[in-house]
Amino acid sequence: LSETTLLLETRAVVQANRAYIVSALEKGLRERIDRRLRGEPDRGAAAPVEAQALELVDHSQVEEEIAISNFIRSLADSCHDELIPLNSRIGLLLGERQLETQDNPFGPYSLGHAFREAWEGVDIRLEGKVIVMKMMDGGVVGDVNSVYADLNRHLANLNVLPHLALTARVRPASRGPGGVDGRAGSGQGTRGDAWVDNGMSADGGNPAQPDVD
């Protein structure tokens, strides 16, 4: 099967199943968010290919895993400035003050895996699915970042950490001759970013309660 034929075939499948894919994506993402809000683990994330011990994995499956990983990484990197305050706001609502991007139910990890699962009911070659995922990498980042910006504004309007401001902080230095991660400790902290609200420290204080009535 030539690359041109595969592209044309994949395009036809996408056009024919667009409504189903969008519906499945919205349903899957909503279910992931609902499970996260109930405190249930995310059972939808597949194990990395390298973790699938003693299994024969098709080359296209490896390519699919790489494509979705790149898509998630691209979203996380490109949307970083909106994701950091969004993590703080969603973390407050979930009762998790140190919510990481990969645990944010609205974040790139949840979105990426929901997108992959939306194709499970579509009759498409695995190679074609990989092509779509690679194209998605650069085609939707701007739109997703706009959604995150809108979500941040909406939560701020509901009084969920409405006055977040970016500030620098110093992470503790590694300890001991090998450091905490097995590398030599430098004896110095490293700078990072933190979001604080109304002068509240990043790890303490009593933020205003969200007004969600």
Side-chain angles (χ1 to χ4, degrees):
L1 187 66
S2 69
E3 183 176 353
T4 301
T5 301
L6 178 60
L7 286 171
L8 292 174
E9 180 183 285
T10 301
R11 179 182 179 183
V13 172
V14 171
Q15 290 177 336
N17 293 274
R18 183 178 183 276
Y20 170 83
I21 295 169
V22 171
S23 176
L25 172 62
E26 292 176 350
K27 179 181 178 182
L29 188 58
R30 190 179 302 113
E31 289 177 349
R32 283 175 172 273
I33 293 172
D34 289 343
R35 288 199 301 269
R36 190 68 175 81
L37 293 176
R38 293 194 299 266
E40 299 175 6
D42 184 3
R43 59 180 180 273
V49 171
E50 60 270 18
Q52 300 173 6
L54 304 180
E55 290 186 11
L56 293 177
V57 182
D58 184 83
H59 175 72
S60 295
Q61 289 180 290
V62 177
E63 289 293 317
E64 179 187 7
E65 186 68 31
I66 293 174
I68 198 64
S69 296
N70 289 340
F71 173 64
I72 291 172
R73 187 180 304 111
S74 178
L75 277 181
D77 291 344
S78 300
C79 303
H80 175 270
D81 290 348
E82 293 295 340
L83 278 168
I84 297 303
L86 185 62
N87 290 343
S88 297
R89 292 185 167 108
I90 298 299
L92 175 66
L93 296 177
L94 292 175
E96 300 180 24
R97 293 294 304 279
Q98 302 298 327
L99 184 70
E100 299 290 342
T101 295
Q102 66 185 29
D103 298 319
N104 188 333
F106 295 89
Y109 293 84
S110 181
L111 180 61
H113 289 296
F115 176 72
R116 178 169 63 180
E117 292 166 3
W119 289 83
E120 291 179 353
V122 178
D123 185 14
I124 184 175
R125 296 177 189 269
L126 192 54
E127 298 89 346
K129 189 189 301 185
V130 171
I131 290 176
V132 174
M133 291 181 178
K134 288 181 177 178
M135 294 176 64
M136 288 287 290
D137 189 1
V140 303
V141 170
D143 292 337
V144 173
N145 194 57
S146 296
V147 171
Y148 288 152
D150 289 342
L151 187 53
N152 268 315
R153 284 190 291 269
H154 179 65
L155 291 173
N157 289 336
L158 292 175
N159 203 32
V160 181
L161 300 181
H163 304 297
L164 280 176
L166 184 63
T167 184
R169 67 180 176 186
V170 177
R171 299 188 182 96
S174 58
R175 299 176 181 176
V180 295
D181 57 0
R183 295 174 292 184
S186 64
Q188 297 179 347
T190 57
R191 295 184 66 82
D193 294 332
W195 286 83
V196 296
D197 183 68
N198 283 334
M200 180 186 69
S201 65
D203 57 357
N206 297 309
Q209 292 300 311
D211 179 11
V212 295
D213 293 335

